[in-house]
Amino acid sequence: KQEVTQIPAALSVPEGENLVLNCSFTDSAIYNLQWFRQDPGKGLTSLLLIQSSQREQTSGRLNASLDKSSGRSTLYIAASQPGDSATYLCAVQSSGANSKLTFGKGITLSVRP
Amino acid sequence: GAGVSQSPSNKVTEKGKDVELRCDPISGHTALYWYRQSLGQGLEFLIYFQGNSAPDKSGLPSDRFSAERTGGSVSTLTIQRTQQEDSAVYLCASSGAKLNYEQYFGPGTRLTVT
């Protein structure tokens, strides 16, 4: 059974800091890994999708890496801003029959002005 | 084009009542997923539809939960005899035919059982 872990559960940083959010998963048989952002009371916003054959993806100030063999992914946020404050969820799509997403419990990020 | 839509956005119901939640996937997407996000459990898979195949119901928490997908498009998630522990945000996602395609999420339905 796939398990996804995100530690720590919460993080507070000053504005301008570069930061790394970590995600680990137990089963390397995956199609892809996806990072989402969720603002309080809102739905999921997809940030980056990394296919299992890829090592990283970049979008603006965000860079996500994937090491499938070790079961790890990181989301790097450069020059953090107060608007980056949100919960960041990592999800893996297992290469099983239903290709469901298994989510971590998320990291709640607070960027202090 | 239009994304995944869900209705209602919020639903408050009394314990013991039945509720229906609706999902309209992206046009042309053959795969449809329901997930539930609750405070204690995080985001969990409920059920998966792919084309005309029998749905994968392995994530449904009890037999009070059921889902249909009519005409390979719109889906309805039904919860019978609602309980307080059913309070959660119910999210729907759709994707293309291949298993590794990205899933696109709707805004969710927030269900509160009083």
Side-chain angles (χ1 to χ4, degrees), chain A residues 16-70:
Chain A
E17 190 161 300
N18 301 325
L19 58 105
V20 173
L21 306 181
N22 294 305
C23 171
S24 62
F25 49 95
T26 55
D27 186 350
S28 62
I30 65 170
Y31 285 127
N32 56 54
L33 182 144
Q34 202 164 351
W35 283 92
F36 294 89
R37 169 184 172 138
Q38 187 172 36
D39 293 284
K42 303 294 185 183
L44 300 178
T45 300
S46 179
L47 297 174
L48 289 164
L49 173 76
I50 312 176
Q51 297 290 352
S52 62
S53 58
Q54 297 174 323
R55 296 285 291 183
E56 66 179 324
Q57 283 286 333
T58 298
S59 175
R61 294 183 294 110
L62 305 179
N63 175 278
S65 68
L66 173 64
D67 184 340
K68 199 174 71 164
S69 61
S70 68

Side-chain angles (χ1 to χ4, degrees), chain B residues 4-8 20-26 29-35 47-50 55 66-78 91-94 109:
Chain B
V4 177
S5 61
Q6 293 185 245
S7 60
E20 286 189 350
L21 312 179
R22 177 186 169 106
C23 171
D24 283 88
I26 293 172
H29 278 187
T30 59
L32 188 147
Y33 301 78
W34 283 97
Y35 295 88
I47 188 168
Y48 162 66
F49 295 89
Q50 174 61 272
S66 63
E68 291 185 336
R69 189 177 185 193
T70 54
S73 181
V74 172
S75 177
T76 302
L77 178 69
T78 301
L91 292 161
C92 174
S94 70
T109 294

Side-chain angles (χ1 to χ4, degrees), chain A residues 89-111:
Chain A
L89 293 152
C90 166
V92 296
Q93 186 176 33
S94 298
S95 54
N98 66 20
S99 66
K100 67 180 182 182
L101 289 175
T102 303
F103 286 83
K105 297 217 168 154
I107 298 174
T108 299
L109 173 66
S110 174
V111 181

Side-chain angles (χ1 to χ4, degrees), chain B residues 26-61:
Chain B
I26 293 172
S27 177
H29 278 187
T30 59
L32 188 147
Y33 301 78
W34 283 97
Y35 295 88
R36 176 171 75 171
Q37 186 173 33
S38 53
L39 277 176
Q41 299 298 320
L43 247 157
E44 306 170 287
F45 164 78
L46 295 177
I47 188 168
Y48 162 66
F49 295 89
Q50 174 61 272
N52 295 320
S53 302
D56 181 332
K57 306 179 184 179
S58 59
L60 294 179

